[in-house]
Amino acid sequence: LYGYSVAAELRPETRYDQVVEALGGHGELVRSPAQLRPALQRAFAADVPALVNVLTDPAIAYPRRSSSSWTRMTATASTAIGWS
């Protein structure tokens, strides 16, 4: 389907955040980009394991990245939300 192997087929709109909450953790559902920063801040401030469930367009296949690309992307995200 995507031209490469997919390790897991995640269903759109599955409420993984509610699963984490049911297990005693902190769950956040993010539907829009504006919700992401506050959700991440609350997740990092939580005193329990946290999950931020970011809904994306299921029609768009997620990009594959090398580990070095992943490191650059997370560093950029950390800087954007003020954690660097």
Side-chain angles (χ1 to χ4, degrees):
L1 176 66
Y2 299 117
Y4 50 82
S5 297
V6 175
E9 183 68 32
L10 303 177
R11 303 280 179 208
E13 300 267 348
T14 300
R15 296 299 305 268
Y16 299 106
D17 53 301
Q18 290 178 341
V19 173
V20 170
E21 288 177 341
L23 296 170
H26 174 83
E28 292 270 352
L29 178 66
V30 171
R31 292 182 182 273
S32 71
Q35 296 173 328
L36 184 57
R37 180 186 295 218
L40 287 171
Q41 290 171 332
R42 288 188 296 270
F44 278 102
D47 292 331
V48 294
L51 175 126
V52 177
N53 187 9
V54 180
L55 300 182
T56 59
D57 185 343
I60 300 173
Y62 61 91
R64 298 291 184 173
R65 299 181 191 264
S66 67
S67 60
S68 61
S69 294
W70 176 254
T71 302
R72 284 192 304 276
M73 183 180 71
T74 55
T76 301
S78 293
T79 300
I81 57 179
W83 289 329
S84 61

